[in-house]
Amino acid sequence: MTNPMSIRPRMLMGPGPSDVNPRVLDAMARPTIGHLDPQFLQILNDVRETLQAVFKTRNPLTLAVSGTGSAGMEACVVNLIEPGDKMLICVAGVFGARMKDVAERAGAEVTAIEVPWGHVFTPEQVENAIRERGPFKVVGIVHAETSTGAGQPIPDIGRIVHDAGALFLVDTVTSLAGMEVDVDGWRIDACYSGTQKCLSCPPGLSPVTFSAAAERAMSERKTKVRSWYLDMNMVRQYWGSERLYHHTAPINMIYGLHEALRIVLEEGLEARWRRHMRHHLELKSELEGMGIRFLADPDHRLPMLNAVAAPDGVDEAAVRARLLDEFAIEIGAGLGAFKGKAWRIGLMGESATERHVQAVVGALRQILA
Ligand SMILES: *Cc1c(COP(=O)(O)O)cnc(C)c1O
């Protein structure tokens, strides 16, 4: 049997997980205590407060769902949607398509609009969809589409969604703590993220936040939430002052998130966004110097997820395998429309450094030579 002590470290430069600061791993190795221990409840309060700072929100209903980013997606959808509710979903890649699948399973009557891979929606496209096929209870979109490397214009779309009286649901799994996210300023009603991308914590928790309007929609439900585990009416009674047992909090994961959030706030949100952009530009100039082409719309490229075309005649999977075997660097493959044609190079959180950029560029130069 494999001994976990023999696992060799990698430079994680794919679409997640990203490199984890040793401080976070140390925090996770602290003694496990009870989920109602006063020491642990203080940690939970800190996590809620620091999440509010990172999401830029005053929403009281802000917490970390037990589960990865996809659990946060499902939590937002099942708590806002009752069977038969109309939802508009803007699909620009794999994760938008996943949101559509989740919403259909929750019984939503889904209308999907699409743009080609690597492109973004114009506010007019969303406005037209609402006028022609609405009204909708919820409009959902992925901010940073990790499958394509394009970032959607959330503030402009948010204004239209609000004017139409719908709830605005936004996936910030890849964007949070790597580029601007402003839940209150952008009038987002429900937002979820994940620990393993720009927060640089291992996968396992999904920060979520709900506005007053979203809370109202939940309290006006006529039917029970379709998921027992993700029912915010119950989960919130543990995170709030009632401290009612619902499910046992993943204690040591919460320690890790607590430390990861401290690190984010020590650096400062804006400094962190700038750092991601700086290293993206550095990577871009190096790769373009090698004749490697970026795939996403130039005006809407993500700093933390660089989708590039594998050069003609190059076996993209073989290059990734050599990066991992010979250089201990992990990068991502293309998904969906980009499968077999693209690499996705992540510069997320602890992986957004000059050392990472130089390592992947140097290795690619050797392999492609
Ligand atoms: C990674 C990702 C998810 C899913 O997160 P998991 O942690 O894999 O469950 C959802 N949305 C986006 C945009 C992502 O990048």
Side-chain angles (χ1 to χ4, degrees), residues 14-16 70 92-98 116-118 142 144-149 174 197 295 305-310 316 320 331-345 348:
S70 306
V94 164
F95 292 101
R98 179 177 299 182
W117 278 52
V142 174
E145 183 46 84
T146 321
S147 58
T148 72
T174 283
K197 315 258 167 133
L295 292 167
L305 195 286
N306 298 271
V308 297
E316 74 79 23
R320 278 186 296 110
I331 67 169
L335 289 179
F338 289 169
K339 193 167 158 52
K341 298 180 215 156
W343 292 314
R344 291 181 303 147
I345 304 175
M348 298 181 175

Side-chain angles (χ1 to χ4, degrees), residues 167-214:
L167 294 168
F168 192 31
L169 165 57
V170 181
D171 174 318
T172 60
V173 175
T174 283
S175 51
L176 192 71
M179 62 192 286
E180 186 176 17
V181 170
D182 183 354
V183 166
D184 286 359
W186 297 351
R187 301 183 65 190
I188 297 172
D189 292 296
C191 188
Y192 59 91
S193 189
T195 46
Q196 52 145 324
K197 315 258 167 133
C198 295
L199 290 172
S200 269
C201 182
L205 290 171
S206 174
V208 296
T209 186
F210 296 94
S211 71

Side-chain angles (χ1 to χ4, degrees), residues 16-66:
S18 56
D19 280 355
V20 177
N21 190 305
R23 277 174 58 186
V24 172
L25 296 175
D26 287 347
M28 293 176 72
R30 302 308 302 152
T32 302
I33 58 177
H35 67 117
L36 294 172
D37 186 314
Q39 296 182 89
F40 185 67
L41 297 178
Q42 187 53 51
I43 298 262
L44 272 188
N45 287 348
D46 290 351
V47 167
R48 188 180 52 226
E49 273 167 38
T50 45
L51 280 180
Q52 286 169 330
V54 172
F55 272 129
K56 300 190 86 187
T57 182
R58 296 157 66 106
N59 290 338
L61 185 48
T62 300
L63 52 82
V65 167
S66 308

Side-chain angles (χ1 to χ4, degrees), residues 122-283:
T122 62
E124 293 69 36
Q125 282 173 296
V126 178
E127 194 169 22
N128 291 340
I130 292 175
R131 182 162 16 80
E132 288 159 18
R133 299 163 77 182
F136 297 100
K137 180 179 185 185
V138 180
V139 176
I141 191 165
V142 174
H143 181 201
E145 183 46 84
T146 321
S147 58
T148 72
Q152 303 294 327
I154 299 299
D156 294 339
I157 294 174
R159 267 189 291 281
I160 283 160
V161 172
H162 256 276
D163 290 348
L167 294 168
F168 192 31
L169 165 57
V170 181
D171 174 318
T172 60
V173 175
T174 283
S175 51
L176 192 71
M179 62 192 286
E180 186 176 17
V181 170
D182 183 354
V183 166
D184 286 359
W186 297 351
R187 301 183 65 190
I188 297 172
D189 292 296
C191 188
Y192 59 91
S193 189
T195 46
Q196 52 145 324
K197 315 258 167 133
C198 295
L199 290 172
S200 269
C201 182
L205 290 171
S206 174
V208 296
T209 186
F210 296 94
S211 71
E215 283 201 51
R216 211 157 34 245
M218 291 183 211
S219 66
E220 288 168 358
R221 291 180 67 97
K222 294 182 185 61
T223 59
K224 278 191 182 178
V225 171
R226 283 285 181 99
S227 163
W228 182 89
Y229 196 75
L230 299 172
D231 184 341
M232 287 299 129
N233 291 312
M234 297 196 284
V235 173
R236 69 183 300 175
Q237 292 185 48
Y238 170 64
W239 281 79
S241 52
E242 304 92 325
R243 302 302 185 189
L244 271 185
Y245 167 67
H246 175 251
H247 66 272
T248 310
I251 306 290
N252 296 56
M253 263 318 296
I254 300 266
Y255 296 163
L257 176 58
H258 184 271
E259 190 62 15
L261 290 167
R262 279 203 335 157
I263 293 170
V264 170
L265 295 182
E266 278 168 21
E267 179 174 15
L269 273 180
E270 291 179 15
R272 197 173 174 93
W273 303 337
R274 281 197 300 274
R275 172 167 60 83
H276 281 82
M277 184 53 77
R278 192 163 66 244
H279 296 303
H280 157 70
L281 292 175
E282 198 178 305
L283 178 69

